[in-house]
Each structure stands twice: as structure tokens, then as C-alpha cells.
Amino acid sequence: MGTTLDVRVKRAGKVYRDGEILSGVVVITSKDTVQHQGISLTMEGSVNLQLSAKNVGVFEAFCNTAKPIQIISSTIEMVKPGKLPSGKTEIPFEFPLQMKGNKVLYETYHGVFVNIQYTLRCDLRRSLLAKDLTKTCEFIVHSLSQKGKLLPSPVDFTITPETLQNVKERASLPKFLIRGHLNSTNCVITQPLTGELQVESAEAAVRSIELQLGVLRAMPGTPRRSRTSRSPTATSAGASPSPSTWCSPGSSPAPPWRPPTSKWSLK
């Protein structure tokens, strides 16, 4: 076994918040004495924007891919050039998660078009005859709880065959009337989304109703796109899939994609 390098943070979940101290240890394990040219640790946070070639084409995706936007970057020299003894060596470290000025430490996010990622990278530099060692460890940044209470913004909605989107043969759909109520469109992510749905009438028997919660994403210079919407899915006996969709009030219709964002399968 050769020399191994590892980066470990103290918290098992690797979750930190703005203003906290990111701490842990760098672990070097080797059977023999390790000659090195210095050990450094870098903390980085960046925003990466990436268009999908499936949605806009290969050429547009290549031309519109922006360079990563750096949020935070800090490097410390942990050990000066020298030797490390054989066996296991642990070197502690601490990084304050503090932004300067009015800059914001955005929450970690991994999405289709946007990635916000924070990493720790340790570099153990060695002589020309030996390959440098590098180890990367990702940690998660969560936003602090919002101060104050959100004002409720309830909304009522109605679903009929006329309100569905992307319907080719609207006349073949059976008549139905569904009313619903969303308690608030301003929600805290850690709290449940509540409301009610009532089927007032339907010409065909309804076997099931499903709700899908999705995210609307937007990038500069591109139309707003939706993966899913808060939508009911109903299926009746002997039904076949149809790509009709309904979007919640205040949101734009989702473009067609497979699998469909939501579907009514009534015949």
C-alpha cells in the first residue's frame, strides 16, 4: 500500500450554515516516511450554469454555457515542506464560513441547469519523481431559518376538460369538475404544503388521483421551464395515457416532455 490522503469534516452529515466554523482533519497514511513539498487545503464554493443539449440543442448548450461563478475561496498552508513519519498522521483544520461585505453564501443546490457546490481540496505536493496527491470532499451549506412569519397567500382553483393543456382530442374526454384550495403559495421548505382537492362530478369512474410537486427553473436569456407542476393525475378503468397537463394558478404551462409532467388518463 502506498501513501493515502483523506479529508474528513467533524459533522457526520457535512451540513453547515453561514457564520459557522468548518472543521475537521486531513489524514495521511503511509508505511514509510513521506517526503513532501508542502500540504495545502483549499475551500471553494461556485455556481455552475449549464444548458441541457436535450432542451436547446448541442450547439446552443455549448455556446451558452457560462464559466463557473466563484462564491467563496480560501487556501491555507497546513504543513511546510518536509517529512511525515510512517503510519497515520492527522492534521486538524478550521475554516470560518463567513462572506465579506454584502455577498451571500448561497445554499447548496444540484439541479438540471444550476449547480451550487462547496468543496474542500487537499493537495500534497511531492518531488518530480513522485506524483502529487489530491483529495476532494464536498460539504453542504444550508440557509439559516427565515426571520418572521410568511404571510399566507391562499388560492382556489378549478380543473375541467377546458382548463387542461396539450389536449389533442378534447371532445373525447369525459366531463368532470374538480375544485381545490391551496392554503398558501408562500411556503417554508421544511413545512408541509397543505390544501384540499374535491371531485364534484365525473362521467367516468376515477380510480386514483396523484399530486406532483415540481420546480420552475429559469436562466438568463432562456424561457422559464418546468419539470413538474402541482398537478392531479387521475386514472379510470380501461384508461390509456394522454399527454394533457394542468398547471397550478400563477405558473406557466410546462413544455411537453417525456415522461409528461402530469397527465389525465380518462376515456
Side-chain angles (χ1 to χ4, degrees), residues 152-221:
S153 54
V155 61
D156 296 318
F157 58 89
T158 301
I159 308 173
T160 63
E162 290 72 25
T163 62
L164 299 180
Q165 304 288 336
N166 305 324
V167 180
K168 293 182 179 179
E169 298 180 2
R170 194 181 301 273
S172 64
L173 291 176
K175 300 295 182 181
F176 61 87
L177 175 60
I178 296 177
R179 299 186 189 275
H181 176 81
L182 196 60
N183 291 337
S184 180
T185 56
N186 295 327
C187 306
V188 180
I189 196 169
T190 56
Q191 307 250 336
L193 183 65
T194 59
E196 63 180 19
L197 195 70
Q198 181 177 356
V199 180
E200 295 196 358
S201 62
E203 290 183 350
V206 179
R207 294 194 308 182
S208 66
I209 296 178
E210 298 177 1
L211 293 176
Q212 295 181 353
L213 178 62
V215 179
L216 287 172
R217 300 182 178 90
M219 291 184 61

